[in-house]
Amino acid sequence: MIIGKFPNLRLRRSRKYAWSRRLVEENSLSPSDFILPIFLIDGKNKKQPIKTMPGVHRYTIDQLGKIVNDAIKSKIPMIALFPATSVNKKNELGTESLNEDNLVCQAIRFIKKRFKNDIGIMCDVALDPYTSHGHDGLIKSGYVLNDQTVDILIKQSLLQSQMGCNVIAPSDMMDGRIGRIRKALDKDGHQMVQILSYAVKYASNFYGPFRDAVGSKQSLTSDKKNYQMDFRNSSESLREVALDIKEGADLVMVKPGMPYLDIIKLVKDSFKIPVFAYQVSGEYSLIKHGVKNKFINESAILESLISFKRAGASAIVTYFALEIVKKLKN
């Protein structure tokens, strides 16, 4: 590669002015790059702050209208729904996940009735918000069962699709679930429902505030290392993605985000499939607290999000979505 030689070539020439920097910038953000996560709670007329996630709230169904409307006005293309299920509705089998009146199903019906298809709805497919032990699947002798869990996930996916969910997002990391869910959806007439597979989900230390938000942290009986990926591994991510694409995944997710930028790039370069990144709760809260305490500048938010685009992410799930869209307009 011939790159030139100083002083004929001065790379700083294009950095001198704001207008020239804009002309040569390689990556940028728009509202279309974001997915907004929304937490749900039982009750009426509640907007409940989450202590470990400053600026993020849980909403009762009747309070969803404003935040969804804000997302639509901000031109954010999709929201992601996560339930904080009441403790008295949880059990070892996570049966509330199959209740057509659970929080997610109620929210889908509410949003579709009020907003039609003005915004996409993504629904998490996993049992951890519904189980008394806090794991993503059924447990026997301390081990999360794979095939038996997939049987439940198929029913959960069908229910969410019947309610009107646009994008089914299995985040459980069970083997073989994408193919079986795709087959079941097609058989039930939901050929156009997309599957966003959390194909690369690491057993990470950055999930703590999210588990607070959905109420699974206190009930979690052990770690999730026997089904989520080891953070020491990278090549394994390619095997996970290859399997899920073959089984019918339309989109794939890498989670967490910033500690795994190398994985986002690896997956994108290897498969050319839309790759989504999840800037998880721990990342969000660390940045938020850093800005609040003036350890870092507020521009670190934008920098963190650009890093996902630079790595190759097609879209970003982030709790900063509404906040950053306002800044992009200015």
Side-chain angles (χ1 to χ4, degrees), residues 202 233-234 237 257-267 311:
Y202 284 88
N233 296 351
S234 58
S237 68
M258 284 183 68
Y260 300 92
L261 294 175
D262 60 319
I263 306 300
I264 296 169
K265 181 168 178 53
L266 181 64
V267 171

Side-chain angles (χ1 to χ4, degrees), residues 3 22 47 54 64 96 108 113-114 116 127 149 155 164 185-186 214 217 244 253 273 277 279-280 319:
I3 59 172
R22 294 203 312 272
K47 179 182 174 182
L64 283 177
E96 179 67 9
I108 296 170
K113 183 177 180 180
R114 179 171 293 193
K116 304 297 187 281
L127 299 186
T149 295
K155 295 176 182 178
L185 290 176
D186 290 354
V214 299
K217 187 173 184 178
D244 287 357
M253 180 84 82
I273 190 173
Q279 186 179 49
V280 299
Y319 305 96

